[in-house]
């Protein structure tokens, strides 16, 4: 019998501290940085974001999201035989955030590793887990996106610090005899490393280079709107489906204008797009599973729905996954 993979549970977690645009504007003003709620809402659609408390790490947020996904899938940590964490803000240089999270969950023994594809990380991680399940290398995978981007923001750079937030989302992906994940399409173009990066690295006991996020927003914006349509069209073609078959588009939550443009190109009304960027900001690899879980728990995304997940970000990386939920 042919072997497929299917999402059987979703979960997410946001740190308690919520900063509205007004809160952030006041905090930045005290540092002499000028911005406004109007600018942030008009250019990005963001109204609030969550920041983790000092000492709270990606594995902490990811473990909470994972517990909720396990509960939704009605399984226990002992059932997991693969953990993949997508993150660009790992707890340590090594070992992987996945290993740290595995121990927090008490799922010790199964393979656990991180995937680093920045904001495309979750789509990459889900595709890897799908391939491992289809090839028989795993049966019950936990795929997590978890980030504490607040740790790498430059609060003196208003062009980036208003955009990002912290959070985590998780799915349980299990072997199935009916198709769940239908098609995926992943890409990277390393010639664009410089347009979105955190260049600092550890060397000889010090951090060399700038350890804070840098972005050429316009360059990223232009690339994003083009590649998101291409990736969506590729997975639809692979699955022999058309754009109007999509029930839910769940793109990376970076900017409402990018999401609107993608939806328009795919002939989808905005009420078929799950939007959380307004409340979460851009949570990088966590944004797609966070939005998926919100869509599921709000009663929007239902079993059997055709769902398009799309990631885009630093690398430059991008990709899409089309699935039957
Ligand atoms: O997660 C990975 C994917 N990331 C993305 O998809 C991000 C893609 N890029 C974007 O979302 C947008 O390019 C931004 C939201 C980052 C910027 O929006 P924009 O419409 O491209 O603005 P801009 O960079 O062209 O800046 C317009 C103006 C500038 O002022 P001048 O030069 O016109 O006087 C900026 O200095 O807005 C100014 N500006 C701000 N003003 C108030 C930039 N940031 C701010 C701010 N508050 N926070």
């Amino acid at each position: 019998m042919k072997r497929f993979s299917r999402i059987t549970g979703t979960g997410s977690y946001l740190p308690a501290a919520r900063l509205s645009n007004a809160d952030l504007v006041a905090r930045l003003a005290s540092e002499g940085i000028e911005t406004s709620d109007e600018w942030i809402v008009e250019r990005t659609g963001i109204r609030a974001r969550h920041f983790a408390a000092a000492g709270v790490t990606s594995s902490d947020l990811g473990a909470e999201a994972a517990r909720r996904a396990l509960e939704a899938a009605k399984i226990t940590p002992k059932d997991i035989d693969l953990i993949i964490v997508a993150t660009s803000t790992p707890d340590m240089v090594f070992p992987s955030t996945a290993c740290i999270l595995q121990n927090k969950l008490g799922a010790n023994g199964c393979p656990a590793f991180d995937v680093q594809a920045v904001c495309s990380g979750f789509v990459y991680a889900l595709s890897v887990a799908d391939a491992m399940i289809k090839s028989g290398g795993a049966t019950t995978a936990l795929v997590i996106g978890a980030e504490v981007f607040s740790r790498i923001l430059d609060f003196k750079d208003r062009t980036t610090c208003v955009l990002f937030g912290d959070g985590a989302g998780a799915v349980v992906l299990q072997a199935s005899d009916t198709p769940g994940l239908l098609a995926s399409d992943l890409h990277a173009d390393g010639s664009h490393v410089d347009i979105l990066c955190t260049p600092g690295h550890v060397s000889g006991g010090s951090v060399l280079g700038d350890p804070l996020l840098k972005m050429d927003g316009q360059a990223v914006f232009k690339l994003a709107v083009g590649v998101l349509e291409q990736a969506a069209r590729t997975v639809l073609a692979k699955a022999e489906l058309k754009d109007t078959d999509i029930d839910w588009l769940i793109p990376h939550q970076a900017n409402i204008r990018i999401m609107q443009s993608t939806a328009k190109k795919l002939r989808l009304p905005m009420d078929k797009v799950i939007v959380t960027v307004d409340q979460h900001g851009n949570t990088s690899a966590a944004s797609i599973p966070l939005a998926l879980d919100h869509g599921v728990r709000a009663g929007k995304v239902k079993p059997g729905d055709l769902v398009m997940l799309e990631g885009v970000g630093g690398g430059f990386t991008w990709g899409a996954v089309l699935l039957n939920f």
Side-chain angles (χ1 to χ4, degrees):
M1 195 190 294
K2 212 167 168 204
R3 193 173 157 99
F4 302 97
S5 79
R6 187 166 209 121
I7 293 176
T8 56
T10 67
S12 63
Y13 182 75
L14 290 161
R18 176 182 184 275
L19 271 87
S20 67
N21 285 348
D23 296 331
L24 191 60
V25 168
R27 173 174 164 176
L28 294 174
S30 69
E31 307 283 330
I33 307 295
E34 204 183 309
T35 183
S36 65
D37 174 52
E38 294 72 30
W39 190 93
I40 302 170
V41 172
E42 190 193 314
R43 301 295 177 118
T44 72
I46 297 167
R47 294 179 185 275
R49 73 287 292 141
H50 291 247
F51 283 168
V56 172
T57 62
S58 289
S59 71
D60 291 325
L61 303 182
E64 279 306 320
R67 285 187 190 102
R68 292 171 187 194
L70 292 175
E71 202 181 303
K74 300 188 177 65
I75 61 167
T76 71
K78 302 280 173 244
D79 299 317
I80 301 164
D81 59 11
L82 171 66
I83 298 178
I84 308 181
V85 174
T87 187
S88 299
T89 46
D91 292 22
M92 299 184 188
V93 172
F94 71 80
S96 69
T97 302
C99 285
I100 300 167
L101 185 151
Q102 182 209 53
N103 191 47
K104 286 178 180 167
L105 283 183
N108 308 57
C110 68
F113 59 91
D114 289 359
V115 161
Q116 161 57 294
V118 202
C119 304
S120 311
F122 183 77
V123 165
Y124 267 64
L126 196 60
S127 304
V128 172
D130 171 58
M132 288 181 72
I133 287 175
K134 281 182 179 150
S135 67
T139 301
T140 299
L142 197 48
V143 185
I144 299 160
E147 301 281 13
V148 283
F149 255 57
S150 59
R151 304 285 155 70
I152 55 167
L153 295 179
D154 179 354
F155 286 98
K156 292 193 166 36
D157 176 7
R158 68 177 185 173
T159 69
T160 53
C161 72
V162 300
L163 306 175
F164 295 89
D166 302 338
V171 302
V172 173
L173 190 73
Q174 292 190 280
S176 163
D177 50 16
T178 57
L181 263 71
L182 302 174
S184 67
D185 182 50
L186 303 178
H187 297 274
D189 181 351
S191 69
H192 298 294
V193 163
D194 293 340
I195 62 171
L196 179 48
C197 59
T198 299
H201 59 280
V202 176
S203 176
S206 315
V207 177
L208 294 190
D210 192 336
L212 300 176
L213 182 149
K214 309 269 163 260
M215 179 167 74
D216 176 346
Q218 286 194 6
V220 173
F221 194 104
K222 274 185 206 140
L223 278 170
V225 290
V227 298
L228 286 173
E229 187 195 3
Q230 278 168 30
R233 298 247 171 254
T234 303
V235 288
L236 283 167
K238 284 185 188 177
E240 296 177 1
L241 291 166
K242 47 188 193 308
D243 47 16
T244 47
D245 295 326
I246 297 170
D247 292 305
W248 294 105
L249 173 64
I250 310 186
H252 171 47
Q253 310 278 318
N255 187 320
I256 191 72
R257 291 186 290 139
I258 297 177
M259 295 160 72
Q260 286 162 340
S261 151
T262 307
K264 195 170 169 194
K265 287 180 177 169
L266 296 177
R267 299 186 294 166
L268 293 172
M270 279 308 283
D271 61 9
K272 287 196 167 194
V273 184
I274 302 288
V275 176
T276 53
V277 69
D278 55 334
Q279 295 303 318
H280 303 167
N282 179 346
T283 58
S284 192
S287 93
I288 295 171
L290 250 167
L292 172 62
D293 185 52
H294 277 245
V296 170
R297 287 175 198 258
K300 293 180 175 174
V301 180
K302 294 187 210 54
D305 282 354
L306 186 69
V307 179
M308 172 80 77
L309 309 179
E310 288 212 275
V312 61
F316 201 68
T317 55
W318 67 98
V321 169
L322 188 66
L323 59 93
N324 263 328
F325 188 72

